[in-house]
Each structure stands twice: as structure tokens, then as C-alpha cells.
Amino acid sequence: MHEFFLMKSLIDTLSSIAREEHASKIISLTVKLGALSHISPDHFREHFIHASQGTVAEGARLTIEVMTDTTHPQSQDVLLENIEIMNS
Ligand SMILES: [Zn+2]
């Protein structure tokens, strides 16, 4: 269930950025998986593809970086690092 909420909040964030920027589409994004986020890049990608269907992020190019620092204050989180949008 943990990853369901991770993914929902990521998609919500992407949707609100797109709305604010009047973007029709998210072209690409980079996320950083915290060292203690307990989700593998492959598993994350699978969930993202599924969760982004029918949203502005559908088909976006996803780059995933894995953090190794377990003492990082956000080591349990998934951080949105970079996003490229297409303006309509
Ligand atoms: Zn899962």
C-alpha cells in the first residue's frame, strides 16, 4: 500500500504543476528514490506506468536515480528532481 500513496502523491504533484504551467503534457521527469523508500526502480517504473495512464504524465520519459545515503532527512521518500513539460 505504501507505494500506492507514493505514486498517488507524485501523480497529484505532476498534475498540479501541469495545471499551473498550462502544460498539456509532461515530457519527462526524474525522481530520486530514497535509500529507505523500499521500492526498486523497476517496481517504481511499473507502478508509474500504471498510475499515469489517463493523466498528463502518461507516456512521460522517466529517469530514476537511487539514493544510497540512509541518513538523508528524506531517505524514506521519493523526490521529484526534475520535470520537463510541453506547453499547449
Ligand atoms: Zn507494488
Side-chain angles (χ1 to χ4, degrees):
M1 239 21 220
H2 174 63
E3 75 261 309
F4 173 82
F5 291 107
L6 276 181
M7 204 51 70
K8 187 181 183 312
S9 81
L10 176 63
I11 298 291
D12 285 351
T13 301
L14 293 172
S15 300
S16 67
I17 292 171
R19 210 164 32 240
E20 280 165 26
E21 303 291 329
H22 306 290
S24 54
K25 198 172 162 33
I26 308 278
I27 298 166
S28 69
L29 68 151
T30 301
V31 297
K32 282 185 163 184
L33 303 185
L36 302 175
S37 65
H38 302 299
I39 186 164
S40 72
D42 283 351
H43 194 175
F44 186 89
R45 185 176 299 279
E46 221 175 90
H47 274 274
F48 178 79
I49 289 168
H50 187 250
S52 64
Q53 278 171 11
T55 77
V56 284
E58 182 172 353
R61 192 169 66 246
L62 173 63
T63 303
I64 301 170
E65 294 170 8
V66 179
M67 295 195 286
T68 54
D69 180 7
T70 54
T71 64
H72 188 283
Q74 286 174 294
S75 61
Q76 303 200 5
D77 300 337
V78 171
L79 308 176
L80 182 58
E81 184 70 5
N82 187 49
I83 173 173
E84 188 189 346
I85 60 171
M86 183 191 281
N87 287 101
S88 37

mmCIF file of all heavy atoms in Angstrom, residues 52-75:
data_model
loop_
_atom_site.group_PDB
_atom_site.id
_atom_site.type_symbol
_atom_site.label_atom_id
_atom_site.label_comp_id
_atom_site.label_asym_id
_atom_site.label_seq_id
_atom_site.Cartn_x
_atom_site.Cartn_y
_atom_site.Cartn_z
ATOM 1 N N SER A 52 0.017 6.539 -14.219
ATOM 2 C CA SER A 52 0.000 7.739 -15.062
ATOM 3 C C SER A 52 -0.978 7.626 -16.224
ATOM 4 O O SER A 52 -1.225 8.613 -16.913
ATOM 5 C CB SER A 52 1.410 8.021 -15.593
ATOM 6 O OG SER A 52 1.842 6.969 -16.427
ATOM 7 N N GLN A 53 -1.521 6.446 -16.430
ATOM 8 C CA GLN A 53 -2.458 6.265 -17.546
ATOM 9 C C GLN A 53 -3.649 7.202 -17.408
ATOM 10 O O GLN A 53 -4.259 7.294 -16.347
ATOM 11 C CB GLN A 53 -2.944 4.808 -17.615
ATOM 12 C CG GLN A 53 -1.938 3.915 -18.327
ATOM 13 C CD GLN A 53 -2.269 2.446 -18.240
ATOM 14 O OE1 GLN A 53 -3.348 2.069 -17.820
ATOM 15 N NE2 GLN A 53 -1.331 1.605 -18.638
ATOM 16 N N GLY A 54 -3.921 7.937 -18.485
ATOM 17 C CA GLY A 54 -5.050 8.856 -18.471
ATOM 18 C C GLY A 54 -4.759 10.190 -17.781
ATOM 19 O O GLY A 54 -5.655 11.005 -17.605
ATOM 20 N N THR A 55 -3.488 10.402 -17.375
ATOM 21 C CA THR A 55 -3.109 11.684 -16.763
ATOM 22 C C THR A 55 -2.139 12.421 -17.695
ATOM 23 O O THR A 55 -1.691 11.866 -18.704
ATOM 24 C CB THR A 55 -2.410 11.482 -15.392
ATOM 25 O OG1 THR A 55 -1.061 11.053 -15.612
ATOM 26 C CG2 THR A 55 -3.137 10.448 -14.544
ATOM 27 N N VAL A 56 -1.790 13.650 -17.322
ATOM 28 C CA VAL A 56 -0.831 14.429 -18.123
ATOM 29 C C VAL A 56 0.546 13.763 -18.175
ATOM 30 O O VAL A 56 1.365 14.108 -19.018
ATOM 31 C CB VAL A 56 -0.630 15.863 -17.590
ATOM 32 C CG1 VAL A 56 -1.804 16.744 -17.939
ATOM 33 C CG2 VAL A 56 -0.313 15.864 -16.116
ATOM 34 N N ALA A 57 0.776 12.838 -17.262
ATOM 35 C CA ALA A 57 2.092 12.197 -17.198
ATOM 36 C C ALA A 57 2.168 10.894 -17.996
ATOM 37 O O ALA A 57 3.222 10.256 -18.055
ATOM 38 C CB ALA A 57 2.465 11.912 -15.740
ATOM 39 N N GLU A 58 1.066 10.541 -18.646
ATOM 40 C CA GLU A 58 1.085 9.296 -19.423
ATOM 41 C C GLU A 58 2.124 9.379 -20.537
ATOM 42 O O GLU A 58 2.180 10.360 -21.268
ATOM 43 C CB GLU A 58 -0.304 9.027 -20.025
ATOM 44 C CG GLU A 58 -0.347 7.721 -20.792
ATOM 45 C CD GLU A 58 -1.759 7.321 -21.237
ATOM 46 O OE1 GLU A 58 -2.736 7.972 -20.843
ATOM 47 O OE2 GLU A 58 -1.856 6.346 -22.006
ATOM 48 N N GLY A 59 2.953 8.383 -20.633
ATOM 49 C CA GLY A 59 3.968 8.320 -21.678
ATOM 50 C C GLY A 59 5.216 9.145 -21.392
ATOM 51 O O GLY A 59 6.121 9.204 -22.229
ATOM 52 N N ALA A 60 5.270 9.784 -20.227
ATOM 53 C CA ALA A 60 6.451 10.597 -19.894
ATOM 54 C C ALA A 60 7.691 9.715 -19.760
ATOM 55 O O ALA A 60 7.608 8.570 -19.317
ATOM 56 C CB ALA A 60 6.210 11.360 -18.588
ATOM 57 N N ARG A 61 8.832 10.266 -20.162
ATOM 58 C CA ARG A 61 10.098 9.554 -20.011
ATOM 59 C C ARG A 61 10.532 9.663 -18.555
ATOM 60 O O ARG A 61 10.673 10.758 -18.021
ATOM 61 C CB ARG A 61 11.143 10.165 -20.947
ATOM 62 C CG ARG A 61 12.413 9.337 -21.108
ATOM 63 C CD ARG A 61 13.266 9.877 -22.253
ATOM 64 N NE ARG A 61 13.774 11.215 -21.959
ATOM 65 C CZ ARG A 61 13.436 12.316 -22.611
ATOM 66 N NH1 ARG A 61 12.585 12.289 -23.599
ATOM 67 N NH2 ARG A 61 13.969 13.487 -22.267
ATOM 68 N N LEU A 62 10.714 8.527 -17.940
ATOM 69 C CA LEU A 62 11.005 8.503 -16.504
ATOM 70 C C LEU A 62 12.451 8.088 -16.255
ATOM 71 O O LEU A 62 12.885 7.027 -16.695
ATOM 72 C CB LEU A 62 10.055 7.509 -15.818
ATOM 73 C CG LEU A 62 10.296 7.196 -14.344
ATOM 74 C CD1 LEU A 62 10.132 8.437 -13.466
ATOM 75 C CD2 LEU A 62 9.340 6.091 -13.885
ATOM 76 N N THR A 63 13.179 8.966 -15.580
ATOM 77 C CA THR A 63 14.541 8.641 -15.157
ATOM 78 C C THR A 63 14.518 8.444 -13.647
ATOM 79 O O THR A 63 13.946 9.252 -12.919
ATOM 80 C CB THR A 63 15.517 9.776 -15.522
ATOM 81 O OG1 THR A 63 15.443 9.995 -16.931
ATOM 82 C CG2 THR A 63 16.948 9.421 -15.141
ATOM 83 N N ILE A 64 15.121 7.367 -13.196
ATOM 84 C CA ILE A 64 15.091 7.040 -11.769
ATOM 85 C C ILE A 64 16.516 6.990 -11.230
ATOM 86 O O ILE A 64 17.369 6.295 -11.775
ATOM 87 C CB ILE A 64 14.416 5.670 -11.541
ATOM 88 C CG1 ILE A 64 12.986 5.677 -12.081
ATOM 89 C CG2 ILE A 64 14.420 5.320 -10.047
ATOM 90 C CD1 ILE A 64 12.319 4.312 -12.110
ATOM 91 N N GLU A 65 16.745 7.758 -10.187
ATOM 92 C CA GLU A 65 18.036 7.699 -9.504
ATOM 93 C C GLU A 65 17.802 7.108 -8.116
ATOM 94 O O GLU A 65 16.801 7.391 -7.484
ATOM 95 C CB GLU A 65 18.644 9.106 -9.390
ATOM 96 C CG GLU A 65 19.017 9.690 -10.740
ATOM 97 C CD GLU A 65 19.400 11.165 -10.652
ATOM 98 O OE1 GLU A 65 19.526 11.694 -9.538
ATOM 99 O OE2 GLU A 65 19.554 11.770 -11.726
ATOM 100 N N VAL A 66 18.740 6.292 -7.683
ATOM 101 C CA VAL A 66 18.600 5.671 -6.369
ATOM 102 C C VAL A 66 19.610 6.296 -5.415
ATOM 103 O O VAL A 66 20.805 6.310 -5.683
ATOM 104 C CB VAL A 66 18.822 4.139 -6.453
ATOM 105 C CG1 VAL A 66 18.691 3.501 -5.071
ATOM 106 C CG2 VAL A 66 17.831 3.512 -7.423
ATOM 107 N N MET A 67 19.103 6.836 -4.312
ATOM 108 C CA MET A 67 19.988 7.434 -3.316
ATOM 109 C C MET A 67 20.489 6.333 -2.378
ATOM 110 O O MET A 67 19.777 5.386 -2.087
ATOM 111 C CB MET A 67 19.248 8.514 -2.523
ATOM 112 C CG MET A 67 18.833 9.695 -3.391
ATOM 113 S SD MET A 67 18.353 11.144 -2.400
ATOM 114 C CE MET A 67 16.769 10.626 -1.777
ATOM 115 N N THR A 68 21.687 6.500 -1.899
ATOM 116 C CA THR A 68 22.261 5.479 -1.020
ATOM 117 C C THR A 68 22.485 5.996 0.396
ATOM 118 O O THR A 68 22.829 5.232 1.293
ATOM 119 C CB THR A 68 23.609 4.980 -1.582
ATOM 120 O OG1 THR A 68 24.450 6.109 -1.810
ATOM 121 C CG2 THR A 68 23.416 4.219 -2.882
ATOM 122 N N ASP A 69 22.255 7.294 0.593
ATOM 123 C CA ASP A 69 22.505 7.903 1.896
ATOM 124 C C ASP A 69 21.323 7.664 2.849
ATOM 125 O O ASP A 69 20.296 8.331 2.763
ATOM 126 C CB ASP A 69 22.741 9.410 1.701
ATOM 127 C CG ASP A 69 23.015 10.115 3.027
ATOM 128 O OD1 ASP A 69 23.148 9.434 4.070
ATOM 129 O OD2 ASP A 69 23.086 11.357 3.005
ATOM 130 N N THR A 70 21.483 6.728 3.768
ATOM 131 C CA THR A 70 20.382 6.405 4.686
ATOM 132 C C THR A 70 20.183 7.467 5.762
ATOM 133 O O THR A 70 19.185 7.445 6.479
ATOM 134 C CB THR A 70 20.617 5.046 5.386
ATOM 135 O OG1 THR A 70 21.905 5.081 6.021
ATOM 136 C CG2 THR A 70 20.592 3.898 4.394
ATOM 137 N N THR A 71 21.125 8.402 5.880
ATOM 138 C CA THR A 71 20.987 9.463 6.887
ATOM 139 C C THR A 71 20.340 10.728 6.307
ATOM 140 O O THR A 71 20.092 11.688 7.025
ATOM 141 C CB THR A 71 22.362 9.846 7.482
ATOM 142 O OG1 THR A 71 23.177 10.391 6.445
ATOM 143 C CG2 THR A 71 23.062 8.632 8.075
ATOM 144 N N HIS A 72 20.079 10.710 5.001
ATOM 145 C CA HIS A 72 19.411 11.845 4.368
ATOM 146 C C HIS A 72 18.032 12.041 5.018
ATOM 147 O O HIS A 72 17.319 11.066 5.253
ATOM 148 C CB HIS A 72 19.263 11.550 2.867
ATOM 149 C CG HIS A 72 18.758 12.719 2.074
ATOM 150 N ND1 HIS A 72 17.431 13.101 2.074
ATOM 151 C CD2 HIS A 72 19.401 13.577 1.248
ATOM 152 C CE1 HIS A 72 17.290 14.158 1.277
ATOM 153 N NE2 HIS A 72 18.464 14.462 0.766
ATOM 154 N N PRO A 73 17.675 13.307 5.337
ATOM 155 C CA PRO A 73 16.394 13.536 6.026
ATOM 156 C C PRO A 73 15.176 13.030 5.260
ATOM 157 O O PRO A 73 14.139 12.763 5.855
ATOM 158 C CB PRO A 73 16.348 15.060 6.199
ATOM 159 C CG PRO A 73 17.445 15.612 5.371
ATOM 160 C CD PRO A 73 18.456 14.529 5.157
ATOM 161 N N GLN A 74 15.304 12.898 3.952
ATOM 162 C CA GLN A 74 14.161 12.402 3.176
ATOM 163 C C GLN A 74 14.438 11.008 2.596
ATOM 164 O O GLN A 74 13.939 10.655 1.534
ATOM 165 C CB GLN A 74 13.824 13.390 2.067
ATOM 166 C CG GLN A 74 13.139 14.643 2.610
ATOM 167 C CD GLN A 74 12.934 15.682 1.538
ATOM 168 O OE1 GLN A 74 13.878 16.236 1.008
ATOM 169 N NE2 GLN A 74 11.686 15.928 1.214
ATOM 170 N N SER A 75 15.197 10.230 3.333
ATOM 171 C CA SER A 75 15.608 8.918 2.820
ATOM 172 C C SER A 75 14.442 7.939 2.658
ATOM 173 O O SER A 75 14.575 6.921 1.997
ATOM 174 C CB SER A 75 16.680 8.297 3.717
ATOM 175 O OG SER A 75 16.159 8.111 5.010
#
